[in-house]
Amino acid sequence: GDYNQKIDYVFKVVLIGDSAVGKTQLLARFTRNEFSIDSKATIGVEFQTKTLVIDHKTVKAQIWDTAGQERYRAVTSAYYRGAVGAMLVYDMTKRQSFDHMARWLEELRGHADKNIVIMLIGNKCDLGSLRAVPTEDAQEFAQRENLFFMETSALESTNVETAFFTILTEIYRII
Ligand code: GDP
Ligand code: MG
């Protein structure tokens, strides 16, 4: 949580990807350790914060969640402004959400700073029997595009902290 303490850095990280891939639940899991099955489509651009310590420095992560604007090109440039990190999220049980990663990446690269740290996230790894995206396909895409990559479950809390911690640590490392 956030404490009344000196903040050394504020890092803006944006979540992008198709609707229903689990962006809002990843954010809820990371910032509040919560999850809800019937999460409502997000309304209005919003962000949540979480303060953590990296290398003895206090870092406030300001994580932005899209607001039901997940249609192609509906996310405005204000959303990307000042972002130092981005998580490109797909649902590993929905092939289409992975196939759309290339256009989300193109849109991101069109708006964001060229040094932005990007992580590809295959969410819903708890639904292994319904997997539609092999890990190797995502690894290959991530390698080609120079992205970090992790498979997560917001439901079971798998790799969620690790994913956010990894991207924030990398941002810290390169600033
Ligand atoms: P968003 O539109 O990308 O923000 O997606 P949401 O976070 O609203 O999640 C969409 C639906 O997927 C909701 O019913 C969530 O409960 C569900 N969901 C999100 N993350 C996971 C996960 O890791 N595993 C499973 N099984 N369901 C998830
Ligand atoms: Mg949402």
Side-chain angles (χ1 to χ4, degrees), residues 18-25 39-43 65-68 70:
D18 285 4
S19 182
V21 296
K23 300 180 297 298
T24 298
Q25 292 311 309
S39 81
K40 310 272 182 297
T42 323
I43 298 160
D65 190 11
T66 51
E70 289 100 333

Side-chain angles (χ1 to χ4, degrees), residues 136-152:
E136 302 72 50
D137 291 16
Q139 270 168 342
E140 194 184 290
F141 177 73
Q143 207 158 39
R144 191 170 58 235
E145 297 292 347
N146 206 15
L147 318 174
F148 289 85
F149 168 60
M150 231 165 253
E151 292 186 339
T152 61

Side-chain angles (χ1 to χ4, degrees), residues 65-82:
D65 190 11
T66 51
Q69 308 156 310
E70 289 100 333
R71 284 164 299 109
Y72 187 47
R73 301 222 158 123
V75 176
T76 62
S77 53
Y79 186 74
Y80 297 104
R81 195 167 301 135

Side-chain angles (χ1 to χ4, degrees), residues 37-51:
I37 285 289
D38 58 347
S39 81
K40 310 272 182 297
T42 323
I43 298 160
V45 166
E46 56 183 338
F47 63 81
Q48 311 260 1
T49 64
K50 184 174 169 107
T51 301

Side-chain angles (χ1 to χ4, degrees), residues 20-25 35-37 39 123-124 126 153-155:
V21 296
K23 300 180 297 298
T24 298
Q25 292 311 309
F35 180 87
S36 80
I37 285 289
S39 81
N123 190 42
K124 309 197 187 182
D126 55 285
S153 167
L155 173 64

